């Protein structure tokens, strides 16, 4: 089918759509935080603004305005007697643990950075991952929890990993965040050992709580250190690094890869899951790069560098790994590198 011609009007409509999208993201974020979606669900999917406001002890007029705004961007519907409902599928899509709702919370949290961008672009000032607030860490970790099963599934898909972990092998997760990947490995492989490396005190505390809650403390632990301090030798069958590589200081990346290599047993595997920057003009329009390009954009003042696929491959090879697979599909929306430590 021929593409529609682009006109000034169609471009203006595109711009207006993005502006609406900005509002919609904040309407979703605030609706989730105030409990409007949950309350509407409790009421069988239909309620007046007054009923929502009373149940949640919120201002009725402001609640009415939120409902109207949610309606106009297409999140809610409205009955003839001015009661509000979910627009089709929005009930399901905006459930308490849905990725869509959690992403709106993270985006709203990150949007607070943008007011400092003009000045930061002039001065080079940075605000690192660790400089963000607990609201960001909290929602980020809830999204990570949704991704943990995909990471374990990707590890299982690597020939020797599943057998080694099933036989009581050991896994190290570098930048283990809230610990959901560690706990997932421990739950899926009932005799495996798992060690997390995590420098951020908020995540160390959160992951230790999760380990206690799930009763896996005998086999899972988190070390409150950074990747630069890893000092294991031939202890692990698998090392995972999920959404961490681009967070590492650029000058420390090779050193940390060497430490991961040293930590692996011969035949062990590093699973590096991350974004990849575009390398060609065509990549800018290739959907596989969209999230990578946007991630570099919303982390540009964090001091993070999202490397290209070629750069990551070169660093893995320079640090002694044999790359056996690199895939844009093994973990959806990420690039996954499978790199092996060969027999020494
Ligand atoms: C985007 S989070 C990903 C967390 C977790 N892997 C996940 O998938 O949810 C990046 C993590 O890398 C950690 N990190 C940052 N710098 C690090 C370093 N130098 N060594 C190890 N971890 C680091 C952060 O504290 C954070 O937990």
């Amino acid at each position: 089918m021929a593409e529609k011609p682009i006109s000034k009007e169609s471009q203006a409509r595109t711009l207006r759509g993005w502006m609406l999208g900005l509002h919609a993201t904040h309407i979703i974020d605030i609706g989730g935080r105030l409990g409007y979606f949950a309350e509407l669900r409790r009421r069988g999917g239909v309620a007046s603004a007054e009923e929502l406001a009373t149940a949640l002890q919120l201002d009725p007029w402001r609640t009415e305005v939120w409902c109207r705004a949610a309606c106009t961007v297409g999140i809610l519907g409205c009955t003839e007697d001015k009661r509000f409902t979910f627009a089709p599928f929005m009930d399901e899509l905006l459930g308490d643990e849905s990725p869509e709702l959690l992403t709106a919370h993270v985006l709203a949290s990150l949007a607070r950075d943008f007011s400092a961008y003009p000045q930061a672009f002039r001065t080079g000032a940075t605000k690192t991952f660790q400089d963000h607030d607990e609201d960001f860490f909290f929602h980020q970790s809830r999204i990570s929890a949704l991704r943990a099963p995909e990471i374990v599934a990707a590890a299982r898909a690597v020939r020797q990993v599943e057998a080694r972990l099933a036989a009581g092998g050991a896994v190290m997760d570098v930048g283990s965040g809230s610990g959901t990947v560690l706990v997932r490995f421990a739950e899926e492989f009932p005799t495996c050992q798992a060690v997390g490396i995590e420098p951020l005190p908020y995540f160390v505390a959160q992951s230790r709580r999760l380990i206690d809650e799930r009763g896996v403390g005998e086999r899972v632990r988190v070390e409150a250190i950074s990747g630069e301090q890893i000092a294991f030798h031939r202890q692990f069958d698998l090392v995972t690094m999920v959404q961490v590589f681009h967070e590492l200081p650029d000058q420390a990346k090779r050193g940390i890869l060497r430490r991961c290599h040293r930590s692996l047993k011969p035949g062990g595997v590093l699973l590096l899951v991350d974004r990849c920057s575009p390398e060609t003009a065509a990549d800018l329009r290739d959907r596989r790069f969209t999230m990578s390009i946007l991630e570099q954009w919303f982390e540009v003042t964090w001091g993070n560098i999202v490397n290209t696929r070629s750069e990551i491959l070169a660093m893995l090879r320079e640090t002694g790994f044999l790359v056996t697979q690199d895939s844009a599909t093994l973990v959806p929306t990420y690039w996954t590198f499978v790199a092996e430590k060969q027999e020494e």
Side-chain angles (χ1 to χ4, degrees), residues 130 140 144 147 175 177 198-199 203 227-228 242-244 247-248:
Q130 284 85 346
Q140 160 88 29
S144 301
R147 196 174 48 217
E198 177 51 55
F203 280 150
E228 291 89 327
V242 183
Q243 268 276 67
V244 170
E247 303 276 353
L248 303 173

Side-chain angles (χ1 to χ4, degrees), residues 15-64:
L15 287 175
R16 279 197 296 275
W18 291 333
M19 313 267 172
L20 279 179
L22 177 68
H23 284 298
T25 302
H26 286 283
I27 292 165
I28 292 169
D29 172 55
I30 289 160
R33 287 174 193 267
L34 290 177
Y36 288 138
F37 299 126
E39 185 58 29
L40 190 54
R41 211 168 282 123
R42 261 196 299 279
R43 291 172 171 270
V46 55
S48 66
E50 179 92 41
E51 286 165 339
L52 291 177
T54 307
L56 296 167
Q57 296 182 305
L58 294 168
D59 183 273
W61 162 240
R62 293 179 184 196
T63 300
E64 170 80 32

Side-chain angles (χ1 to χ4, degrees), residues 129-130 136 140-141 143-145 147 151 173-181 197-200 203 225-228 230 241-249 252 256 295 299 302:
F129 179 91
Q130 284 85 346
F136 167 67
Q140 160 88 29
S141 64
I143 292 192
S144 301
R147 196 174 48 217
I151 302 303
D173 188 29
V174 179
S176 51
S178 51
T180 52
V181 167
I197 304 298
E198 177 51 55
L200 188 73
F203 280 150
I225 58 170
S226 70
E228 291 89 327
I230 295 171
M241 216 191 268
V242 183
Q243 268 276 67
V244 170
F245 196 65
H246 72 273
E247 303 276 353
L248 303 173
I256 292 173
E295 185 137 353
E299 298 186 4
W302 300 16

Side-chain angles (χ1 to χ4, degrees), residues 36 56 111 139 146 150 157 170 186 199 209 242 268-269 329-330:
Y36 288 138
L56 296 167
H139 288 110
L146 302 176
E150 290 169 358
R209 270 198 305 279
V242 183
V269 164
T329 53
L330 199 55

